[in-house]
Amino acid sequence: MALYGYGTFLFLLLLRIAVEQRPINGSTFSFLSDANANITGKRWAVLVAGSSGYENYRHQADVCHAYQILRKGGLQDENIIVFMYDDIAYNINNPRPGIIINKPDGNDVYQGVPKDYTGKHCNTKNLYAVLLGNKTALTGGSGKVLVSGPSDHIFIYYADHGSPGLIGMPFGDDVYAKDLITVFKKKHDARAYKSMVFYLEACDAGSMFEGLLTEDMNIYAVTASNANEYSWGTYCPGDYPYPPSEYDTCLGDLFSVAWMEDSDIHDSRKECLKQQYKLVRRRTAIDNLEYRSHVMQYGNLELSKDFLLTYMGSNPENDNYTFTESNSLPLTSRVASQYDADLLHFWHKYVKAPKDSLEKVEAERKLSREINNRKHVDYSIDHIATSLFGQEKGSEVLKSIRPTSQALVDDWDCLKMLVKTYEKYCGSLSKYGKKYTRAFANMCNAGIRVEQMTMACTKACIMNT
């Protein structure tokens, strides 16, 4: 009997070791190590690059890199859903056609990436349909949606320009914070996941969750910036580490390459989300004192104790890589704000173009157009605020920031309407101009109605043209 007991013990021990070595399946798994014992369910991932245009190269490069990490971790394509405009790899400006890199000495991260929702199908309506698992609401694309269940774990990564209360998409309407949270509430109420992690790269990213994401939704969100600051592009022309000389655009974003370059090397079975958060926060803020943002956490912080394995899988090449708090990620000496990275691209295109060439004329035209658009937006917003509140109070409205416990605005429909009213009379806000959505939110909080906004916009943008 004792011998039988010993044999049973040995069998169970060997079984435990075998299960610990690797998830049973790339997407469905049962992991029995001390790290998150008895995890079950499927892993799902949604990756979103919310921009288009070669000047925004870095966003699609980030998303492609994230895809490679998940595939190496064992997730299958059927469980990874990718949104990207897909106009970078074969862009006429790309010095390496068909190849996308995410760091100066990096390998191609474009190969194999699914083209689930590209071009005009990379839009907000399809994003919400995918998150909710609603195939009937889709318009185009691969048809893949999150058909997750109550035992499943979802990882969402989004990279783009952002502004207070919203993040962009390359086609159609923006993603407003309130609408996104409503989608998550529906997903939660349907018991369509066990836990969710959301990594968000954007300016003012904290405003998407601040005062909105509640702990009981079992979502852990990490943002590249707080609710009132830029996030930063990196590996940019003129900065160190330098991108290859033939590139005139930023190759990545600071927060994004920080978490991904960490994930590239560490054993995800032994590193938890909180440990990654601390490393990324240091690289994004402390080690970049001049140009920095504050990486933030929102939602259910208990989930930060989960190991990366739970959401990203585990790359066999990283097995037994020992994690220590002293492990340092490579540093960047300078970075460019999300708002200015495109301006940097246009400037370097102009500087590098041959003298008196058509290329230089075109580069100068694009640079001047961007600068003039920014001047127009700055002037019109200032004029509108002054018209509505007077000179002194108008300046306060543009800069006022609510306490961290409060959402950006009380009436989100009002915010949408004021933005639409501005664009009707003053033209597109553009990625740069959307930094003023906080001003529009403050106008709503002050009780400004659409009729008042219409009059102010007419005065600023029509009567003064």
Side-chain angles (χ1 to χ4, degrees):
M1 186 72 178
L3 182 62
Y4 176 79
Y6 175 78
T8 303
F9 169 79
L10 182 61
F11 171 77
L12 291 174
L13 178 62
L14 290 172
L15 178 62
R16 176 183 174 89
I17 292 171
V19 174
E20 281 185 350
Q21 285 180 342
R22 187 87 2 242
I24 290 175
N25 179 281
S27 297
T28 304
F29 62 102
S30 180
F31 192 79
L32 301 179
S33 75
D34 291 336
N36 296 355
N38 299 318
I39 301 171
T40 59
K42 287 185 178 181
R43 301 186 193 89
W44 295 86
V46 179
L47 309 176
V48 185
S51 67
S52 61
Y54 188 75
E55 65 273 17
N56 293 310
Y57 180 106
R58 62 198 182 279
H59 299 139
Q60 292 184 49
D62 292 337
V63 160
C64 289
H65 188 176
Y67 167 80
Q68 303 299 339
I69 290 171
L70 297 176
R71 285 294 287 129
K72 289 178 181 178
L75 275 75
Q76 302 300 312
D77 279 351
E78 65 191 46
N79 295 100
I80 305 173
I81 304 170
V82 180
F83 284 78
M84 67 177 187
Y85 202 74
D86 197 26
D87 61 341
I88 300 302
Y90 292 97
N91 192 289
I92 191 174
N93 292 301
N94 188 2
R96 303 179 188 178
I99 292 174
I100 295 178
I101 60 175
N102 197 216
K103 61 181 179 179
D105 59 348
N107 297 321
D108 177 27
V109 293
Y110 183 67
Q111 184 176 9
V113 177
K115 311 299 191 305
D116 290 312
Y117 299 93
T118 61
K120 68 179 182 180
H121 304 306
C122 187
N123 60 57
T124 300
K125 182 180 178 182
N126 279 344
L127 176 61
Y128 293 161
V130 164
L131 294 175
L132 291 172
N134 185 1
K135 285 192 174 185
T136 61
L138 291 171
T139 54
S142 68
K144 284 161 61 176
V145 297
L146 284 180
V147 286
S148 51
S151 298
D152 295 348
H153 307 272
I154 300 172
F155 175 67
I156 301 174
Y157 168 58
Y158 180 104
D160 184 32
H161 296 278
S163 56
L166 62 86
I167 48 181
M169 289 294 279
F171 189 86
D173 295 334
D174 293 317
V175 176
Y176 279 82
K178 182 65 173 180
D179 295 336
L180 182 64
I181 297 299
T182 298
V183 167
F184 288 152
K185 285 181 178 178
K186 290 179 180 178
K187 191 78 172 175
H188 178 264
D189 291 345
R191 300 185 70 249
Y193 65 91
K194 182 176 182 180
S195 60
M196 182 188 299
V197 169
F198 194 135
Y199 279 13
L200 175 57
E201 172 78 66
C203 292
D204 307 296
S207 65
M208 295 297 293
F209 304 109
E210 208 159 80
L212 295 170
L213 183 61
T214 57
E215 187 175 330
D216 61 353
M217 293 173 65
N218 227 32
I219 297 174
Y220 174 64
V222 180
T223 63
S225 56
N226 65 26
N228 183 45
E229 64 183 356
Y230 296 155
S231 68
W232 301 89
T234 192
Y235 301 142
C236 299
D239 295 334
Y240 181 83
Y242 309 104
S245 59
E246 64 269 28
Y247 286 86
D248 50 30
T249 187
C250 300
L251 302 181
D253 292 296
L254 185 57
F255 164 79
S256 294
V257 300
W259 78 259
M260 287 188 284
E261 289 177 8
D262 175 63
S263 298
D264 282 334
I265 60 172
H266 281 150
D267 186 345
S268 64
R269 302 171 305 164
K270 299 176 182 178
E271 181 182 4
C272 68
L273 292 163
K274 186 174 183 179
Q275 289 171 312
Q276 184 168 84
Y277 161 75
K278 288 181 177 179
L279 284 177
V280 172
R281 181 180 61 180
R282 177 180 175 183
R283 183 174 178 184
T284 306
I286 298 173
D287 291 329
N288 289 276
L289 294 177
E290 185 178 359
Y291 306 95
R292 63 177 179 173
S293 62
H294 300 83
V295 176
M296 304 294 289
Q297 303 175 96
Y298 299 93
N300 187 346
L301 303 189
E302 281 296 307
L303 293 178
S304 69
K305 297 176 182 177
D306 289 351
F307 283 78
L308 299 180
L309 160 77
T310 311
Y311 305 94
M312 303 179 195
S314 179
N315 183 354
E317 296 178 6
N318 299 341
D319 283 1
N320 303 316
Y321 187 106
T322 303
F323 179 88
T324 64
E325 292 292 344
S326 61
N327 279 339
S328 61
L329 296 166
L331 306 181
T332 51
S333 60
R334 292 195 61 191
V335 289
S337 78
Q338 292 281 4
Y339 288 122
D340 291 335
D342 55 349
L343 203 61
L344 181 68
H345 164 71
F346 293 137
W347 168 250
H348 277 274
K349 287 285 288 184
Y350 172 73
V351 170
K352 290 170 64 175
K355 186 178 180 181
D356 299 326
S357 65
L358 290 176
E359 183 182 352
K360 199 170 193 72
V361 172
E362 178 65 12
E364 182 179 19
R365 184 186 68 82
K366 289 182 177 179
L367 180 62
S368 297
R369 183 176 62 187
E370 178 65 22
I371 292 173
N372 288 334
N373 176 68
R374 292 180 179 214
K375 288 180 178 179
H376 164 72
V377 172
D378 290 340
Y379 167 81
S380 58
I381 294 294
D382 182 71
H383 200 287
I384 288 167
T386 300
S387 177
L388 290 171
F389 299 99
Q391 186 68 48
E392 185 174 343
K393 191 174 180 182
S395 180
E396 289 181 20
V397 168
L398 294 180
K399 300 176 182 178
S400 179
I401 299 173
R402 282 183 143 186
T404 56
S405 59
Q406 285 186 277
L408 175 72
V409 65
D410 296 325
D411 186 345
W412 288 87
D413 290 332
C414 170
L415 175 58
K416 292 180 185 179
M417 287 304 300
L418 292 197
V419 170
K420 287 181 179 179
T421 301
Y422 172 91
E423 294 193 320
K424 178 179 179 180
Y425 294 97
C426 298
S428 172
L429 269 175
S430 74
K431 298 294 185 182
Y432 168 81
K434 285 176 182 175
K435 71 178 186 177
Y436 288 111
T437 51
R438 185 179 304 279
F440 294 139
N442 291 338
M443 292 175 192
C444 289
N445 294 334
I448 296 300
R449 303 184 304 277
V450 171
E451 295 78 13
Q452 294 170 285
M453 186 66 168
T454 299
M455 292 181 62
C457 288
T458 301
K459 184 177 179 181
C461 301
I462 296 180
M463 296 175 63
N464 288 338
T465 57

